[in-house]
Amino acid sequence: MACEMPQELYQEFEKLNLGFVSHTEGIIIEVEPTLEQEIRKGQLEDVKIKEIKESIEAAPPKQPSSPSRPSRAGRDHSADEYLAKGLFFHEDLVQVGKTLTLYFPVAASAPLGLLPRRVADAIPFSASSLPATLARLGIASDSAQAAAMEETLYMCELPQKAGEAAKFCATSLEALVEGSMAALGTRRIRPVTSGLPRSGAPKQPYTVRAVHPVDGASFVSCHDHDYPYTVYMCHNTPSTRAYMVELEGARSGLAVTVAAICHADTSSWNAEHVSFRILGTKPGGAPVCHYLPYGHNLWVNMEANRSSS
């Protein structure tokens, strides 16, 4: 079946001129060895990007004091909990006629959107350089935005978890594509995303109308994190199954298609992971499934189909 990515993400891919081939099962990207030249030729040249670039180049060498590190333990996790209760589900519910209770949050896009590589790479991206980055972007060191940026950098700099075959953070579309190709070991990849409304939808039961296994040799899933411009944290985990699931809301009649990922091997996961509490399971137990929120993406290795069990 055809799967639809958020329009603005698709437009960004088009601007890079990476050579899409439309397929009945989605979009296949085959990137030639001249990737770097093609990317540079197709990069954006709008006014906003020019202003950012000029601001970066003209920024005086300020040395602001390092902001105090906010305590993650003191964060209010009530919103996270509410999202989790409408995010995770058991794999045995991914069947026609079954019911999933899901919540789709309002899409929260980064103010500056996806930056071209030449702009993103000119902005330091590390916890140690955060004070300089805040100064360049004009963000107060004691602001909520600064705390969110610090949290994102912390997550990006954490070492690869047990059970992860690869992990990386991408600060540009080029880095997202190239990182996914490196993690999957091939240039022949395609992106898969959920078809969800930007405005979100309240928590409600959804009836499963159709299930389409996503064929592929392996997957890389990428999730956006809070930052002034779009940053994706991506990881490649083995023993994963993916599906495109067509749903219909029991109360509103809203029809959506979600990309669902099921992790079959959770033996290396932290026992405190919120999914275990929500689903009543434990590390090494039943598969843990979740859908991809708006704008998140799954990259599929198209080198060889695998059987969907």
Side-chain angles (χ1 to χ4, degrees):
M1 66 169 290
C3 60
E4 184 174 335
M5 72 176 72
Q7 187 61 29
E8 61 268 30
L9 186 58
Y10 182 79
Q11 289 171 348
E12 292 298 332
F13 281 127
E14 281 192 319
K15 288 169 184 172
L16 285 180
N17 194 23
L18 291 181
F20 288 133
V21 180
S22 296
H23 270 236
T24 56
E25 291 186 342
I27 296 169
I28 294 176
I29 302 175
E30 289 196 77
V31 185
E32 300 302 323
T34 56
L35 172 68
E36 187 66 29
Q37 292 92 326
E38 289 300 311
I39 284 174
R40 288 180 177 176
K41 184 172 69 175
Q43 280 179 335
L44 226 78
E45 290 288 353
D46 65 19
V47 174
K48 180 182 289 186
I49 297 302
K50 288 181 179 178
E51 289 177 351
I52 298 170
K53 187 172 183 291
E54 290 170 1
S55 172
I56 291 169
E57 292 172 346
K62 294 182 182 178
Q63 296 296 329
S65 58
S66 178
S68 58
R69 185 174 190 80
S71 170
R72 280 180 293 279
R75 270 183 60 196
D76 177 10
H77 291 276
S78 57
D80 298 341
E81 186 80 2
Y82 180 68
L83 174 59
K85 287 181 178 178
L87 173 68
F88 296 106
F89 47 90
H90 290 288
E91 190 172 20
D92 59 12
L93 295 179
V94 186
Q95 299 180 46
V96 174
K98 296 286 189 177
T99 299
L100 296 171
T101 298
L102 301 175
Y103 160 64
F104 303 128
V106 176
S109 300
L112 298 177
L114 268 169
L115 298 182
R117 169 180 280 160
R118 71 183 183 285
V119 177
D121 286 356
I123 305 173
F125 188 79
S126 67
S128 61
S129 60
L130 179 58
T133 301
L134 294 175
R136 285 186 172 188
L137 297 178
I139 298 172
S141 62
D142 59 351
S143 65
Q145 176 68 82
M149 292 169 67
E150 184 178 30
E151 178 77 7
T152 292
L153 291 168
Y154 170 81
M155 295 298 292
C156 284
E157 293 180 358
L158 282 175
Q160 192 171 303
K161 295 179 182 177
E164 286 183 331
K167 177 202 170 190
F168 64 93
C169 280
T171 59
S172 67
L173 186 57
E174 297 91 327
L176 177 64
V177 173
E178 289 182 337
S180 297
M181 288 191 300
L184 293 172
T186 176
R187 290 193 179 93
R188 196 164 183 264
I189 62 177
R190 70 180 174 99
V192 174
T193 66
S194 297
L196 296 171
R198 283 188 61 92
S199 56
K203 188 175 180 180
Q204 66 174 308
Y206 286 84
T207 301
V208 178
R209 296 303 187 197
V211 177
H212 308 270
V214 177
D215 290 330
S218 56
F219 307 103
V220 167
S221 55
C222 298
H223 315 282
D224 61 357
H225 281 247
D226 198 348
Y227 218 70
Y229 50 90
T230 302
V231 171
Y232 283 105
M233 187 167 72
C234 304
H235 58 107
N236 179 5
T237 54
S239 303
T240 302
R241 292 182 283 271
Y243 307 90
M244 295 302 294
V245 185
E246 297 180 35
L247 304 167
E248 182 179 342
R251 297 174 191 157
S252 65
L254 175 67
V256 298
T257 299
V258 299
I261 302 172
C262 294
H263 300 277
D265 182 6
T266 61
S267 58
S268 62
W269 289 24
N270 188 321
E272 299 302 314
H273 194 283
V274 65
S275 64
F276 297 138
R277 185 165 69 253
I278 298 300
L279 300 178
T281 184
K282 60 184 179 180
V288 170
C289 301
H290 63 87
Y291 74 86
L292 285 182
Y294 184 97
H296 295 211
N297 45 84
L298 181 72
W299 293 85
V300 184
N301 181 347
M302 296 300 294
E303 282 298 308
N305 287 339
R306 59 168 199 180
S307 60
S308 53
S309 52

